[in-house]
């Protein structure tokens, strides 16, 4: 049986790397942070989109492997096998469309975000007190 495609999860890995680079933490740490945040955040949305993208990629790989089993040269294709082959092909097409949509939308969001520079950690300069005003003499 042929080996599964090594690039099956390439898009989700690229998105994961971009999210990690943007937020400066590993995806696992970011998932924990997103789960602990009670309100919906951009981070939670990005993590959710990445999860959906990875699920679509896993489904593509699974259905492709199943399709390869169904069309193996030693198997006879009968009435029932033909229906399974058609179903696998339909599921692959749906998952590819979902993967591409998630990748496009998540990529667009990431393209619009930039990592903010780290805050300046040096203490603020202490203001120099103003020099006392010299009294002007008033002579008449």
């Amino acid at each position: 049986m042929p080996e599964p495609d090594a690039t099956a999860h390439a898009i989700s890995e690229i998105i994961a790397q971009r999210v990690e680079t943007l937020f400066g933490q590993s995806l696992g740490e970011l998932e924990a942070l997103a789960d602990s945040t009670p309100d919906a955040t951009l981070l939670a949305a990005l993590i959710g989109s990445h999860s959906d993208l990875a699920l679509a990629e896993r489904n593509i790989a699974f259905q492709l492997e199943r399709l390869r089993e169904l069309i193996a040269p030693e198997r006879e294709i009968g009435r029932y096998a033909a229906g399974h082959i058609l179903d696998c092909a339909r599921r692959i097409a749906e998952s590819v469309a979902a993967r591409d949509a998630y990748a496009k939308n998540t990529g667009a969001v990431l393209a619009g975000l930039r990592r903010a520079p780290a805050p300046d950690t040096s203490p603020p300069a202490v203001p120099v007190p103003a020099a006392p005003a010299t009294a002007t003499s008033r002579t008449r």
Side-chain angles (χ1 to χ4, degrees), residues 68-131:
R68 287 179 178 147
E69 290 172 3
L70 290 169
I71 63 169
E74 66 274 4
R75 289 190 62 141
E76 186 175 318
I77 298 178
R79 180 175 170 201
Y80 296 106
H84 290 295
I85 291 169
L86 182 61
D87 185 54
C88 280
R90 180 188 55 79
R91 289 176 189 223
I92 289 170
E94 289 171 355
S95 293
V96 166
R99 179 203 58 196
D100 292 350
Y102 286 124
K104 180 181 177 182
N105 290 332
T106 306
V109 170
L110 287 170
L113 298 174
R114 302 285 180 263
R115 186 172 171 92
D120 187 14
T121 57
S122 61
V126 177
V128 178

Side-chain angles (χ1 to χ4, degrees), residues 2-69:
E3 289 296 314
D5 187 5
T7 61
H9 302 289
I11 297 173
S12 65
E13 290 172 5
I14 291 168
I15 295 291
Q17 290 171 354
R18 290 177 64 189
V19 170
E20 288 173 344
T21 300
L22 180 66
F23 287 92
Q25 294 179 358
S26 72
L27 196 59
E29 293 171 331
L30 293 171
E31 286 172 349
L33 180 61
D35 288 343
S36 68
T37 306
D39 297 330
T41 64
L42 178 61
L43 175 60
L46 285 172
I47 296 296
S49 291
H50 174 264
S51 295
D52 293 339
L53 175 61
L55 177 63
E57 288 178 334
R58 284 192 307 272
N59 194 47
I60 292 168
F62 174 80
Q63 293 298 332
L64 186 58
E65 188 60 34
R66 178 72 179 129
L67 183 60
R68 287 179 178 147
E69 290 172 3

